[in-house]
Amino acid sequence: AQSVTQLDSQVPVFEEAPVELRCNYSSSVSVYLFWYVQYPNQGLQLLLKYLSGSTLVKGINGFEAEFNKSQTSFHLRKPSVHISDTAEYFCAVIPGGTSYGKLTFGQGTILTVHP
Amino acid sequence: DTGVSQDPRHKITKRGQNVTFRCDPISEHNRLYWYRQTLGQGPEFLTYFQNEAQLEKSRLLSDRFSAERPKGSFSTLEIQRTEQGDSAMYLCASSPRATNTEAFFGQGTRLTVV
């Protein structure tokens, strides 16, 4: 079984500041890793994903994440945030080699960007 | 293509009543998933369909819950004899054939049981 831990439930930052949202996972097999964003009363939108290859993954809206296998982490970063980045962010995994994409999510991190 | 569509967006029901939600996946997506998200938590997997076949059900899906996907197109999720603990956002997602890494989510149905 897999599990995902998001280390911060809330992260407040000022506009144009950098931000890092932390994610650790546990799995006995290799995994695919994802970050999703959820705006209020909306569904989830995929920000980026790591399947294989380069450990630094770039996504939409200027976000990037780095896969660290030894630390079983997949932290999300953005060098300069905007007010519009205020949302809840979810880290998720799928076991590698499975035939369908059953996601296991973390608890979420609420990012609040202040002017 | 307007993405994954869920109906209704909001549902308030009295405890003990039955409710049914509908999900229309992106056309030609043969994989469909239901998740439940309670306040302050990440989504939790409920069930998975490949075409019309329900291939996996979570233990979260008690006997009061039933999901169908007739003809492999839209899907319905029914909750019988609702309880206050069923209050949550119910999310539907779909993905195309031959990939297990790209799920597209609908906007969800928020259920409130009073």
Side-chain angles (χ1 to χ4, degrees), chain A residues 41-42 49 98 100 102, chain B residues 9 31 56 100 102 107:
Chain A
N41 297 315
Q42 299 292 318
K49 61 184 178 183
T98 55
Y100 62 94
K102 172 184 167 183
Chain B
R9 291 289 311 278
R31 298 176 178 184
E56 184 175 348
N100 60 359
E102 195 74 57
Q107 293 185 308

Side-chain angles (χ1 to χ4, degrees), chain B residues 8-21:
Chain B
R9 291 289 311 278
H10 304 274
K11 178 71 176 179
I12 300 175
T13 190
K14 292 184 178 180
R15 190 174 52 186
Q17 297 295 304
N18 299 344
V19 294
T20 300
F21 311 140

Side-chain angles (χ1 to χ4, degrees), chain B residues 5 13 22 24 37 41 44 46 53 55 63 70 73-75 82 84-85 93-94 113:
Chain B
S5 177
T13 190
R22 177 180 169 122
D24 287 273
Q37 184 180 18
Q41 299 296 318
E44 296 173 291
L46 291 179
L55 297 185
D63 292 345
S73 55
F74 70 93
S75 176
T82 52
Q84 286 189 323
S94 69
V113 182

